[in-house]
């Protein structure tokens, strides 16, 4: 079974933005998340991008090839151990034209490296959506909605993390940021916000799955609440029965049940005979001669007599 993150990423990898502006924005975020630069002979720059997800590797390669005519290579490292994933390294071979690519992606400005700010790529709403999609593909994960709600983007670049936080805020998402070892973690904890994010990046199938799981979880919580409530009621019934039996036995010991009026004596004996019955069951055991409220009323009277007996005794002691 694959993780929910992988499902979402596979879905997002199949999306191709219509406009070139968006494809550049998406690629830029992907590169910021997972790429490193290499330097070839003649000091030309190249790019290395690695991922364990073959769908993301394919998509990155497509984005690179569509927008730029550059020489690329893919190196697959087979997993040495079971349960480990293959790793895909996409290499943009060092060449003079790579500087152009990096400039278009906003990673270079003139001869300088632009560490984090990407305002140039994020002017249009369409591009902001694509940028977040790229960021998620490059370093995102989201928990399966059956468990705790959590979505995060992890990056070693603090400035880029700030760019992401600001972007989340533009979409009015309740975003949080924290450190984990040497990385910045930009995260969402709220189920509505996670669904909004999935919608922004275009993960339609994932939203459906998320929504279904969330509903199942809500229903299960409701059922649990009901069960807890019934357990509490049951406990109350048991407590009442135990208390009633105790008090009737006290009356028996102090004055004898024979001293009680017939209607009360009848109910007292009934309760002693059925010490665990609830009100409904007592009424039935009494062949419905009196209703629930009548039964309840008599039991209360019996309890009151017992209380009066104890209090009378205490008062007698005081006098
Ligand atoms: Zn766009």
């Amino acid at each position: 079974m694959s993780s929910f993150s992988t499902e979402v990423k596979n879905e997002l990898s199949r999306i191709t933005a219509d406009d070139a502006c968006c494809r550049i924005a998406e690629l830029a975020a992907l590169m910021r998340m997972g790429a490193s630069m290499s330097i070839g002979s003649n000091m030309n720059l190249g790019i290395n991008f690695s991922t364990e997800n073959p769908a993301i590797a394919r998509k990155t390669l497509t984005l690179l090839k569509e927008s730029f005519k550059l020489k690329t290579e893919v190196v697959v490292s087979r997993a040495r151990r079971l349960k480990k994933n293959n790793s895909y390294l996409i290499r943009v071979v060092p060449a003079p034209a790579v500087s152009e690519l990096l400039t278009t992606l906003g990673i270079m400005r003139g001869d300088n490296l632009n560490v984090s700010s990407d305002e140039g790529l994020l002017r249009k709403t369409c591009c902001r959506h694509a940028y977040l999609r790229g960021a998620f593909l490059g370093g995102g994960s989201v928990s399966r909605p059956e468990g705790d709600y959590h979505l995060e983007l992890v990056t070693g670049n603090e400035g880029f993390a700030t760019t992401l936080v600001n972007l989340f805020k533009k979409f009015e998402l309740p975003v949080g940021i924290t450190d984990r070892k040497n990385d910045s973690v930009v995260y969402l904890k709220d189920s509505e916000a996670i669904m909004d994010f999935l919608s922004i990046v275009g993960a339609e199938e994932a939203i459906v799955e998320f929504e279904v799981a969330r509903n199942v979880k809500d229903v299960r919580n409701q059922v649990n609440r009901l069960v807890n409530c019934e357990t509490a009621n049951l406990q109350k019934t048991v407590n009442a029965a135990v208390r009633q039996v105790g008090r009737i036995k006290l009356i028996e010991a102090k004055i004898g049940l024979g001293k009680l009026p017939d209607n009360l004596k009848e109910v007292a004996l009934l309760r002693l005979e059925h010490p665990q019955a609830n009100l409904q069951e007592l009424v039935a055991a009494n062949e419905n001669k009196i209703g629930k409220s009548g039964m309840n009323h008599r039991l209360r009277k019996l309890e009151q007599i017992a209380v009066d007996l104890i209090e009378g005794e205490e008062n007698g002691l005081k006098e």
Side-chain angles (χ1 to χ4, degrees), residues 19 21-22 124 126-127:
D19 298 322
C21 58
C22 302
K124 292 197 270 178
C126 60
C127 299

Side-chain angles (χ1 to χ4, degrees), residues 45 71 100 118 163 165 183 187 210 243 258 280 282 312 315:
L45 288 174
K71 191 161 182 278
E100 248 173 79
D118 270 335
T163 299
V165 167
D183 289 327
Y187 64 88
F210 200 91
R243 195 184 62 230
Q280 185 81 53
L282 278 183
N315 287 339

Side-chain angles (χ1 to χ4, degrees), residues 185-205:
V185 182
V186 176
Y187 64 88
L188 297 173
K189 279 278 177 202
D190 176 75
S191 67
E192 286 294 328
I194 292 172
M195 294 218 312
D196 284 347
F197 181 91
L198 293 174
S199 162
I200 288 164
V201 297
E204 301 295 334
E205 291 165 24

